């Protein structure tokens, strides 16, 4: 049995209690992951704090050069990382490569850190007085991440935090822990000093201890909404900066004028890619007016044609879900929705084991009152609601507690513009089903999909991992007579 180790202060560190890590395609145990407890949490934060003391003073060009080297190593090790992702998560290899590329783009953004950290300067704000502002790193930043993107979601966080001059402690998902160790090795090979990037393995208890640790300045969290809410509250109460991204229920609205073949292709990919285990997966279609019947027919045909199998098999288009518990949750929702009056048009519940497989499921005539609609299923289940008008479709989305992503399919620029202005959602696609912003924009939802003020990566990521200083300077002439003291509040005049 392979024992995964923490990575603290630039070296592997063995742990104590451990959990099994499974291959979801076979159900076999691949390794065991240690559960970091108080001693390991303290050690990881202490190593990061010590490294921060000198890392913050490394010139910004030097930090950028390490990011360039890390970026190249990520590219060179893309296949190694993809194999690790597929083995522990189950997604197909092409999908795993896709998340690595999207994560690498954040590193490419971080390579531009000298430009991103340039401050502002105002000359002569008063006679002989200049003003400037600049941003400095926070200290030790923590990242707590979900199982569904073992490489990309952490890459939303640590390259930017580190390029800004912080040290980082990553708590990977206990279900997909191994990729983080290879990332740590790549950082070391890129020349990052020991302790600037640390991997602390563990479960919710480990993450809660890290969140509460007084040596941590900021917490970035991505995961389910109940945990995001808890992490946001705990970090805020202990005076930390926090961004906590939660779950989702993403709607695609199909208007009657849409190209229905295009919409069905795009929605099928967005609903069933990665077995629906993406925070930006489309899980609900709102079919407007007469689009409904022909669209549902097309979606059913496409769902039935998807090839489900092990992620490492090049013939597979969709892999298993992450765990037996996830499979049970998916099956329970399909069962309950059928009982509540939904039409189960495609039913993927009967796939044989031994892996944790569920095939694509398509449910028509769903209503907002059904549990399958109200709760995040996080599996290969697509729900269809029917709406009479575009306004009714937007009202459905706006009444939903989540607000991560959404998409509209239409040929009308006017309808699309109205949709993008009126919908209460953070990331919007127009004929684009998975509108994950590029690395140089920022990623974040609204409502119960994000707690905190700043989105991740892009300009908002730089802002999150730094704080501002404003400096006002006067260099009085040594030859001029000194002015008498003025007790009135200083103004520029
Ligand atoms: P999860 O909430 O169960 O776990 C996420 C992380 O939190 C894990 O590292 C876990 O160990 C840790 N954790 C668990 N309990 C904790 C606690 N009490 N305190 C602190 N940390 C704790 O989520 P998951 O099942 O790994 O991932 C799926 C969820 O993540 C879905 O809800 C999905 O929508 C969401 N997600 C959201 C985004 C986004 O950008 N909004 C992106 C990816 C995934």
């Amino acid at each position: 049995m392979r024992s995964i180790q923490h990575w603290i202060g630039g070296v592997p560190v063995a742990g104590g209690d451990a959990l099994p890590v499974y291959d979801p395609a076979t159900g076999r145990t691949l390794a065991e992951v240690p559960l970091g407890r108080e001693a390991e949490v303290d050690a990881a934060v202490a190593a990061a704090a010590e490294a921060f003391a000198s890392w913050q003073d490394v010139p910004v060009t030097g930090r950028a050069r390490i990011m360039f080297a890390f970026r190249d190593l990520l590219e060179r090790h893309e296949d190694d990382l993809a194999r690790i992702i597929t083995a522990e998560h189950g997604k197909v290899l092409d999908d795993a490569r896709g998340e690595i590329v999207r994560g690498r783009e954040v590193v490419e953004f971080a390579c531009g850190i000298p430009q991103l950290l340039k401050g502002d300067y105002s000359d002569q704000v008063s006679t002989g007085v200049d003003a400037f502002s600049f941003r400095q790193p926070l200290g030790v930043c923590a990242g707590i991440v979900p199982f569904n993107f073992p490489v990309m979601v952490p890459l939303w966080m640590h390259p930017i935090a580190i390029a800004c001059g912080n040290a980082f402690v990553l708590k990977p998902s206990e279900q997909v822990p191994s990729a983080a160790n290879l990332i740590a090795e790549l950082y070391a090979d890129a020349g990052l000093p020991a302790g600037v990037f640390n991997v602390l393995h563990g479960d919710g208890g480990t993450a809660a201890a890290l969140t509460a640790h007084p040596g941590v300045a900021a917490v970035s969290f991505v995961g389910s909404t109940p945990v995001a809410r808890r992490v946001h509250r705990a970090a805020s109460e202990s005076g930390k900066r926090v961004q906590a991204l939660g779950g989702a229920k993403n709607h695609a609205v199909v208007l009657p004028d849409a190209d229905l073949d295009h919409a069905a292709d795009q929605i099928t990919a967005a609903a069933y890619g990665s077995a629906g285990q993406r925070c930006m997966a489309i899980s609900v279609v709102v079919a407007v007016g007469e689009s409904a019947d022909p669209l549902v027919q097309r979606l059913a045909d496409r769902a039935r044609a998807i090839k489900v199998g092990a992620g490492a098999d090049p013939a597979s288009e969709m892999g298993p879900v992450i765990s037996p518990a996830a499979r049970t949750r998916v099956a329970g929702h399909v069962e309950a929705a059928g009982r509540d009056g939904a039409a189960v048009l495609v039913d993927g519940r009967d796939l044989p084991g031994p892996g944790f497989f569920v095939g694509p499921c398509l449910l028509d005539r769903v209503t907002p009152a059904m549990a399958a609609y109200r709760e995040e299923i996080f599996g290969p289940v697509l729900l269809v609601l029917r709406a009479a008008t575009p306004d009714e479709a937007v009202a459905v989305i706006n009444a939903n507690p989540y607000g991560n992503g959404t998409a509209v399919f239409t040929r009308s620029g006017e309808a699309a513009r109205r949709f993008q202005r009126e919908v209460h959602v953070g990331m919007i696609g127009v004929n684009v089903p998975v509108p994950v912003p590029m690395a140089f924009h920022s990623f974040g939802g609204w409502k119960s999909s994000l707690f905190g003020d700043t989105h991740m990566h892009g300009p908002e990521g730089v802002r999150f991992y730094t704080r501002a200083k404003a400096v006002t300077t006067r260099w009085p002439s040594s030859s001029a007579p000194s002015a008498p003291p003025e007790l009135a509040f200083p103004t520029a005049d």
Side-chain angles (χ1 to χ4, degrees):
M1 174 71 62
R2 182 166 60 92
S3 287
I4 296 164
Q5 301 194 307
H6 307 288
W7 180 273
I8 297 175
V11 289
V13 173
D17 297 345
L19 282 178
V21 179
Y22 297 104
D23 173 354
T26 61
R28 279 206 317 266
T29 304
L30 292 173
E32 55 177 26
V33 61
L35 301 178
R37 295 297 177 226
E38 204 180 324
E40 289 88 6
V41 177
D42 280 344
V45 175
E50 191 185 336
F52 172 68
S54 45
W55 178 244
Q56 63 176 328
D57 288 332
V58 171
V60 70
T61 47
R63 302 202 302 260
R65 272 181 209 120
I66 287 175
M67 282 297 147
F68 275 104
F70 176 56
R71 182 242 165 258
D72 288 350
L73 287 165
L74 272 179
E75 188 170 39
R76 220 174 306 150
H77 289 272
E78 187 174 300
D79 284 345
D80 302 330
L81 283 165
R83 272 193 295 274
I84 295 173
I85 294 171
T86 294
E88 293 182 357
H89 176 285
K91 65 177 72 174
V92 300
L93 278 166
D94 276 353
D95 196 31
R97 282 193 200 96
E99 79 158 274
I100 297 165
V101 171
R102 293 302 299 267
R104 197 168 69 222
E105 287 166 1
V106 180
V107 184
E108 287 163 0
F109 175 75
C111 288
I113 200 68
Q115 174 71 14
L116 294 165
L117 285 185
K118 268 163 52 180
D120 291 322
Y121 191 95
S122 299
D123 173 60
Q124 191 79 342
V125 294
S126 182
T127 306
V129 176
D130 305 325
F132 62 95
S133 55
F134 64 105
R135 301 187 74 87
Q136 290 188 313
L138 307 175
V140 177
C141 299
I144 302 164
V145 291
F147 78 83
N148 64 322
F149 285 107
V151 169
M152 182 185 76
V153 166
L155 281 170
W156 288 351
M157 306 171 178
H158 52 75
I160 300 192
I162 290 171
C164 286
N166 299 283
F168 203 86
V169 179
L170 175 66
K171 206 299 279 172
S173 164
E174 59 274 38
Q175 293 174 291
V176 293
S178 298
N181 287 58
L182 179 50
I183 293 285
E185 288 174 29
L186 299 185
Y187 265 132
D189 291 350
L192 190 71
V196 177
F197 179 75
N198 304 276
V199 179
L200 171 70
H201 287 293
D203 57 7
T206 316
L210 184 61
T211 303
H213 199 287
V216 170
V219 180
S220 298
F221 173 89
V222 176
S224 59
T225 288
V227 182
R229 196 177 267 126
R230 203 172 311 150
V231 167
H232 181 256
R233 189 176 310 130
S236 303
E237 275 171 6
S238 59
K240 297 178 174 67
R241 190 174 282 203
V242 55
Q243 50 182 181
L245 278 58
K249 199 83 180 172
N250 305 313
H251 302 67
V253 174
V254 180
L255 299 185
D257 71 342
D259 175 339
L260 293 185
D261 284 318
H262 174 260
D265 286 339
Q266 299 287 311
I267 291 169
T268 299
Y272 302 117
S274 199
Q277 301 172 117
R278 292 179 185 146
C279 62
M280 291 292 275
I282 291 293
S283 49
V284 183
V285 172
V286 188
V288 176
E290 70 262 26
S291 74
D293 287 338
L295 178 68
V296 166
Q297 185 59 51
R298 286 167 168 79
L299 290 172
D301 291 345
R302 285 159 174 77
R304 288 190 192 103
I306 291 172
K307 296 187 190 70
V308 181
D313 180 347
S316 304
E317 294 174 305
M318 187 184 114
V321 293
I322 186 69
S323 64
R327 188 175 50 187
T328 303
R329 185 183 66 239
V330 169
H333 275 296
V334 174
E335 170 78 26
R339 264 200 322 270
D340 292 346
V344 181
L345 301 183
V346 182
D347 186 346
R349 283 177 291 171
D350 286 335
L351 286 188
F356 315 144
F357 287 99
V358 196
C361 300
L362 179 67
L363 279 60
D364 192 12
R365 301 199 178 272
V366 173
T367 67
M370 294 178 188
Y373 176 78
R374 283 185 280 108
E375 291 167 30
E376 184 183 33
I377 300 177
F378 218 58
V381 183
L382 181 61
L383 313 179
V384 182
L385 268 72
R386 293 164 180 243
T389 63
D391 285 351
E392 197 182 312
V394 169
V396 167
I397 298 173
N398 288 353
N400 191 283
Y402 296 106
N404 214 41
T406 187
V408 64
F409 288 87
T410 179
R411 289 186 167 100
S412 160
E414 183 191 5
R417 183 170 185 275
R418 187 154 172 217
F419 179 83
Q420 74 205 24
R421 296 198 72 244
E422 294 182 357
V423 78
H424 298 172
V425 174
M427 294 171 283
I428 300 164
V430 176
N431 299 312
V432 171
V434 185
V436 174
M438 296 300 290
F440 32 91
H441 292 269
S442 299
F443 180 108
W446 283 21
K447 302 192 278 186
S448 293
S449 295
L450 188 146
F451 304 92
D453 302 317
T454 33
H455 292 190
M456 280 191 186
H457 66 67
E460 296 212 12
V462 175
R463 229 166 289 140
F464 180 79
Y465 289 119
T466 54
R467 54 187 166 175
K469 268 184 180 164
V471 183
T472 307
T473 63
R474 173 190 282 132
W475 296 100
S477 160
S478 50
S479 56
S482 173
E486 279 186 33
L487 271 60
F489 195 67
T491 66
D493 303 328

